[in-house]
Amino acid sequence: MSKDDDYDYLFKVVLIGDSGVGKSNLLSRFTRDEFNLESKSTIGVEFATKSITTNGKVIKAQIWDTAGQERYRAITSAYYRGAVGALLVYDISKRVTFENLERWLQELRDHADPNIVIMLVGNKGDLRHLRAVGQDEALAFAEKHGLACIETSALEATNVETAFMRLLSEIYTLMSSRQITDADSFRNAQPAMQVEPVQAAPSRNGCCP
Amino acid sequence: MQSASSTGTQRSAKAQKFHRLLSLPTVDLAALRELLWSGAPEEDPKVRAQSWQMLLGYLPPVQDRQPSGLQKKREEYEELRRRHYLPVEAEAPSGDVDGAILRQIRLDIPRTSPGLPIFGHQRIQQLLERILFIWSLRHPASGYVQGINDLATPFVVVLLASELDCLPEEINVDAASDDTLDAVEAGAYWCLTKFLSDIQDHYTSGQPGIQQMVAKLREIVHRIDQKLYDHLEEQGLDFLQLSFRWMNCLLLREFPFPCVIRLWDTYIAEPLEGFSSFHVYVCAVFLIYWSPQLKQMDYQQLMLFMQKLPTGKWRNQEIETLLAEAFVLKSLFHSSPNHLNPR
Ligand SMILES: Nc1nc2c(ncn2[C@@H]2O[C@H](COP(=O)(O)OP(=O)(O)O)[C@@H](O)[C@H]2O)c(=O)[nH]1
Ligand SMILES: [Mg+2]
């Protein structure tokens, strides 16, 4: 097998959030353009990669999908180490998954790099008739914590690509603006992220367009 | 214990052996273990169900006691159902914890599909929900953990196929009476409970049972395939990463469902100390099976390959080869004083 080394940067990204919000399907939609109504629950962690191009650079995203259940936290939290980005996912039709976001942020504070770029993702945007979390609420939450945010539907393939692209470009921008002394560190599996604390960036492209 | 695999042509002879054993007034459990270790006859669903239920302590080995024994167990389960599940049906799970568990179970039930359409059937989904919820309440040290839903499915299928006297892939849920499904539910609950009692610490806080199994797997691979071990080390692929799901779901996610059932014949037949120590040897043989390919791969290729191993076309024969090799490996480790003892 050949090693596909044709990328400029390797970014490790984690997908976190309550069980059942659609993390695995966001990942399969982004990396393989697949959606599965009966996808099996994730046991432990799973992994996929995809390369994108931004600012003329090829970025390989190494995305770790984690199990949402509390019991797996001990196993999954180890994977936050070295991650430069996180998609923090809730389900717009399940209020409790939004209420648990604070706990997920705490998980990141406890286990991830303090400079990790986080994007809030309200998934299952297609379930409009069942909406239990308002767009304004999500925006307020994102602003309060300095996160970018977006609503997606893995089912309808809306905004999935955009969510990942925005996260990856933001990581890239922060990284290149910060004069990384050793850009090569982004090429191994545990990149040493050295960027400034993330700025709130919700307004323009906006949460919930 | 013999580890010779059977071939297709011996099938009816095999079924006969089981029948002879199972029709005695008192079934010799040791003999039954030995027979089941090499697999139940696929064409005879009742034989497998009886053997599983007997070795898991659900069906009494003394014929005369079977009706009353089953009756008692079924009543016990009915009682559990009244006590624990009735409040749920009345939409009032007692307390936050139970509510969270029920939510998790309900999320996972539509995602429980070992490749058989019956798990999309509402009656089966409800049956599974009750089994998992009651098991969870009765085992508060772990409670329901994702993956246990998968582990319940072989029992449901094997018992239901037996009740309806058909092959697993021919099960027609609508043909089953309420009483039949109740019998299956009680049986599956008790069998699952007994089966999981061997690996309870897989699911308690920190999942120590899994950590131990992974450590043991690492030791075994280190000893018998140093090159593979070194390669995995070099690539930075942790054994926990590559085998967590194997331990958590007992390889159920790695094979086609019929192969899982065959694998579990042997697990259920494993002698008294349980299947958990043997399972690690099976995992070791399974990993080493891919060794030539794995040694060519880098970290990412390894991760992607291990997540979705090309076992889609596997049949019982491949499983039986694994089992035979694992048996040899285990004997080797246990007979050599230089080797580590299990646990
Ligand atoms: N309607 C709808 N359902 C979704 C969407 N994304 C995922 N699902 C469904 O939600 C369930 C859980 O999805 P999954 O990706 O396994 O969630 P995870 O536990 O967060 O990984 C599955 O039945 C999916 O088919 C979505 O965007 N819209
Ligand atoms: Mg998942």
Side-chain angles (χ1 to χ4, degrees):
Chain A
M1 281 194 198
S2 74
K3 319 209 167 190
D4 54 331
D5 270 343
D6 48 348
Y7 55 85
D8 299 303
Y9 299 101
L10 177 69
F11 290 169
K12 175 175 169 181
V13 168
V14 291
L15 271 164
I16 58 170
D18 278 9
S19 184
V21 298
K23 298 180 294 297
S24 299
N25 276 284
L26 283 168
L27 181 62
S28 64
R29 178 62 83 190
F30 177 60
T31 57
R32 303 192 301 274
D33 199 17
E34 282 173 19
F35 179 84
N36 187 352
L37 261 178
E38 283 148 24
S39 61
K40 292 181 180 150
S41 62
T42 309
I43 302 296
V45 288
E46 282 178 22
F47 166 95
T49 64
K50 178 160 171 162
S51 293
I52 60 135
T53 307
T54 181
N55 301 61
K57 299 285 183 199
V58 178
I59 292 175
K60 181 162 185 166
Q62 189 184 71
I63 307 159
W64 293 85
D65 177 22
T66 59
Q69 199 187 1
E70 188 84 38
R71 179 64 77 229
Y72 289 125
R73 226 45 72 76
I75 306 285
T76 54
S77 59
Y79 292 88
Y80 301 162
R81 205 166 50 84
V84 292
L87 288 182
L88 173 55
V89 189
Y90 67 96
D91 172 349
I92 67 141
S93 72
K94 290 247 161 56
R95 178 110 206 134
V96 60
T97 67
F98 180 72
E99 280 158 4
N100 282 338
L101 290 175
E102 292 276 4
R103 283 167 61 197
W104 285 108
L105 282 176
Q106 189 57 45
E107 278 288 304
L108 286 176
R109 279 182 216 116
D110 291 347
H111 301 285
D113 187 292
N115 296 319
I116 191 169
V117 179
I118 304 166
M119 179 146 189
L120 184 64
V121 176
N123 189 41
K124 307 202 188 181
D126 54 285
L127 301 176
R128 294 162 202 96
H129 52 297
L130 298 173
R131 179 182 285 282
V133 182
Q135 302 193 346
D136 45 339
E137 287 178 278
L139 185 56
F141 182 89
E143 258 168 6
K144 177 173 161 209
H145 294 281
L147 320 172
C149 76
I150 193 167
E151 279 193 8
T152 58
S153 165
L155 173 73
E156 294 177 341
T158 339
N159 273 346
V160 178
E161 181 101 8
T162 313
F164 280 97
M165 290 296 277
R166 275 178 54 195
L167 179 72
L168 295 170
S169 329
E170 192 175 338
I171 297 167
Y172 175 76
T173 309
L174 283 164
M175 185 205 70
S176 37
S177 74
R178 217 348 254 255
Q179 288 294 331
I180 299 287
T181 45
D182 177 20
D184 263 4
S185 62
F186 274 78
R187 294 190 60 107
N188 33 33
Q190 277 101 34
M193 183 66 181
Q194 297 168 8
V195 292
E196 310 239 86
V198 185
Q199 305 296 313
S203 48
R204 196 170 31 86
N205 274 345
C207 180
C208 332
Chain B
M1 180 146 308
Q2 64 177 45
S3 58
S5 62
S6 62
T7 63
T9 53
Q10 290 174 325
R11 265 188 189 165
S12 58
K14 181 193 255 188
Q16 271 176 22
K17 278 194 203 164
F18 273 95
H19 277 292
R20 216 172 296 136
L21 249 180
L22 290 168
S23 60
L24 294 174
T26 301
V27 176
D28 176 349
L29 289 181
L32 183 60
R33 273 183 202 288
E34 185 154 339
L35 213 47
L36 184 65
W37 204 95
S38 303
E42 298 294 341
E43 75 281 8
D44 200 335
K46 284 193 185 296
V47 163
R48 172 171 277 139
Q50 273 188 30
S51 308
W52 283 26
Q53 292 180 99
M54 211 171 270
L55 291 177
L56 289 167
Y58 180 61
L59 185 65
V62 179
Q63 291 255 355
D64 289 348
R65 301 214 188 110
Q66 284 177 359
S68 61
L70 282 185
Q71 184 62 28
K72 188 167 151 271
K73 285 282 191 192
R74 266 191 73 173
E75 278 165 16
E76 260 176 70
Y77 181 72
E78 293 296 328
E79 176 54 28
L80 292 177
R81 210 170 124 166
R82 263 192 301 278
R83 184 151 21 116
H84 297 302
Y85 196 75
L86 218 55
V88 172
E89 278 174 315
E91 307 280 346
S94 43
D96 275 2
V97 179
D98 298 355
I101 284 173
L102 190 62
R103 246 197 329 274
Q104 186 67 59
I105 291 172
R106 285 186 173 161
L107 272 174
D108 288 345
I109 285 197
R111 297 192 282 182
T112 309
S113 59
L116 287 178
I118 63 160
F119 288 95
H121 200 292
Q122 202 192 8
R123 290 172 87 196
I124 299 298
Q125 294 194 340
Q126 285 167 348
L127 170 156
L128 203 54
E129 174 175 316
R130 286 188 294 268
I131 291 176
L132 294 173
F133 187 66
I134 294 167
W135 184 88
S136 186
L137 293 193
R138 303 285 295 168
H139 299 84
S142 69
Y144 172 74
V145 175
Q146 292 184 295
I148 295 178
N149 56 330
D150 289 319
L151 299 184
T153 57
F155 297 112
V156 173
V157 170
V158 166
L159 269 55
L160 192 53
S162 167
E163 287 288 337
L164 298 177
D165 204 6
C166 64
L167 296 175
E169 55 277 15
E170 292 167 350
I171 293 173
N172 172 9
V173 179
D174 294 317
S177 68
D178 286 344
D179 188 59
T180 298
L181 284 188
D182 283 346
V184 168
E185 182 175 333
Y189 172 81
W190 290 116
C191 287
L192 176 71
T193 299
K194 180 69 195 334
F195 191 70
L196 291 182
S197 66
D198 197 19
I199 50 168
Q200 180 78 57
D201 60 355
H202 272 48
Y203 307 108
T204 51
S205 176
Q207 306 195 263
I210 291 184
Q211 309 266 7
Q212 272 169 28
M213 275 194 174
V214 171
K216 183 80 164 81
L217 175 67
R218 183 185 292 120
E219 296 276 6
I220 297 171
V221 175
H222 185 53
R223 275 164 192 272
I224 60 174
D225 194 344
Q226 174 99 41
K227 286 218 171 82
L228 176 62
Y229 182 90
D230 291 344
H231 179 70
L232 296 175
E233 284 272 284
E234 239 173 69
Q235 291 299 322
L237 186 63
D238 192 65
F239 272 78
L240 186 67
Q241 239 163 61
L242 73 86
S243 67
F244 183 79
R245 194 173 65 193
W246 297 3
M247 305 310 178
N248 197 76
C249 298
L250 298 176
L251 292 170
L252 187 141
R253 293 269 185 112
E254 320 308 323
F255 302 122
F257 197 58
C259 291
V260 172
I261 304 249
R262 171 61 195 89
L263 177 70
W264 285 24
D265 281 342
T266 301
Y267 281 10
I268 289 167
E270 265 294 291
L272 303 170
E273 85 259 26
F275 62 83
S276 56
S277 114
F278 184 63
H279 174 67
V280 183
Y281 291 93
V282 176
C283 290
V285 171
F286 185 50
L287 179 63
I288 290 163
Y289 177 90
W290 310 101
S291 185
Q293 284 117 296
L294 298 177
K295 282 187 290 213
Q296 307 299 316
M297 297 181 190
D298 69 10
Y299 177 79
Q300 296 195 11
Q301 292 166 332
L302 284 166
M303 277 303 299
L304 294 171
F305 185 75
M306 296 299 295
Q307 260 166 217
K308 209 166 188 234
L309 290 163
T311 54
K313 295 216 162 61
W314 275 38
R315 311 181 68 92
N316 285 2
Q317 205 186 333
E318 279 88 355
I319 298 294
E320 287 175 355
T321 307
L322 273 192
L323 289 168
E325 287 177 11
F327 179 78
V328 171
L329 190 60
K330 184 180 174 190
S331 316
L332 258 172
F333 265 69
H334 284 222
S335 59
S336 161
N338 292 330
H339 287 134
L340 298 153
N341 288 318
R343 297 259 159 144

